[in-house]
Amino acid sequence: MRIVISEFMSLDGVVQAPGGPGEDTDGGFAHGGWTHPFFDPEVVGGAFDDALGKADALLFGRRTWQTMAGAWPERAGDPFADRMNAIRKYVVSDTLGDDKLTWENSTRIPGGEAVARIRELRAAEGGDLVVMGSSALVRTLLREGLVDELRLMIMPVLLGGGKKIFPDDGALRTLELVSTVTSGAGVNVCVYRPVAGA
């Protein structure tokens, strides 16, 4: 399976709370829902449809999984929501009990086992394992060399601070720009892949 990261991102690299005001206020973040003025169904929505269409499973950190689990089940009847609800989901967490995995087809991966278990999933046959949000998890995956593709929806806004996905460990990681599409609202949907051996 390929591990594909799909993120809304500001020009200054922030991925925190793209969906709504109360989504994630850690660190006093006050711009929740910042993506809404830039979202369009064709380009930005199409990028998510494409990623989900190639996915065999989704991978989340605990907070993102809880946000999604609180939103998608009630939207049943919409084709995208039905796919989100039906697909296999993995959530990395030490604190979520298995009895709390109420979103259908969800499996918990204990945090201490995450890197090893994700390596096993990546080595298995199948389509993509797509990660949405989950900034701390994505940083770990990038640091461990476990990302096969980054799909970044880079929006023309500066947020001045917030959670980011890129490791700050001083390591050089070279990426290849595979494709880019620009929406009418100025969103650049960029697909990057790591350069082998770089």
Side-chain angles (χ1 to χ4, degrees):
M1 299 179 81
R2 294 187 323 145
I3 296 180
V4 175
I5 310 302
S6 185
E7 297 281 350
F8 292 119
M9 183 175 286
S10 69
L11 278 176
D12 51 349
V14 176
V15 299
Q16 188 169 350
E23 183 180 342
D24 180 358
T25 58
D26 280 4
F29 189 76
H31 305 299
W34 53 272
T35 61
H36 295 188
F38 309 106
F39 188 90
D40 73 286
E42 187 176 321
V43 176
V44 178
F48 268 100
D49 282 344
D50 184 57
L52 193 60
K54 295 175 181 170
D56 268 0
L58 303 177
L59 175 63
F60 297 106
R62 177 195 52 83
R63 184 191 298 262
T64 303
W65 180 89
Q66 286 178 311
T67 299
M68 299 282 204
W72 289 107
E74 66 190 35
R75 299 179 190 174
D78 167 83
F80 188 87
D82 290 347
R83 175 87 169 120
M84 287 288 288
N85 290 325
I87 197 168
R88 282 184 302 152
K89 292 167 275 286
Y90 297 96
V91 54
V92 175
S93 175
D94 281 327
T95 58
L96 266 181
D98 290 337
D99 60 322
K100 301 290 186 194
L101 299 180
T102 53
W103 194 14
E104 64 182 288
N105 298 320
S106 290
T107 302
R108 186 175 69 89
I109 298 175
E113 301 173 18
V115 171
R117 292 279 304 279
I118 293 166
R119 282 190 200 284
E120 290 171 8
L121 288 170
R122 188 173 181 233
E125 290 295 319
D128 293 345
L129 181 59
V130 174
V131 185
M132 299 174 184
S134 311
S135 59
L137 175 60
V138 172
R139 263 193 315 281
T140 299
L141 295 174
L142 284 166
R143 195 169 47 246
E144 295 290 330
L146 291 174
V147 172
D148 297 291
E149 186 170 282
L150 282 164
R151 290 177 171 233
L152 306 178
M153 282 141 283
I154 303 167
M155 307 208 164
V157 62
L158 299 171
L159 298 174
K163 293 180 181 176
K164 301 181 179 186
I165 62 169
F166 302 118
D168 57 0
D169 55 7
L172 177 69
R173 296 170 177 91
T174 304
L175 304 172
E176 171 191 16
L177 179 62
V178 177
S179 67
T180 186
V181 178
T182 303
S183 77
V187 179
N188 285 312
V189 179
C190 301
V191 177
Y192 295 94
R193 293 184 188 139
V195 174

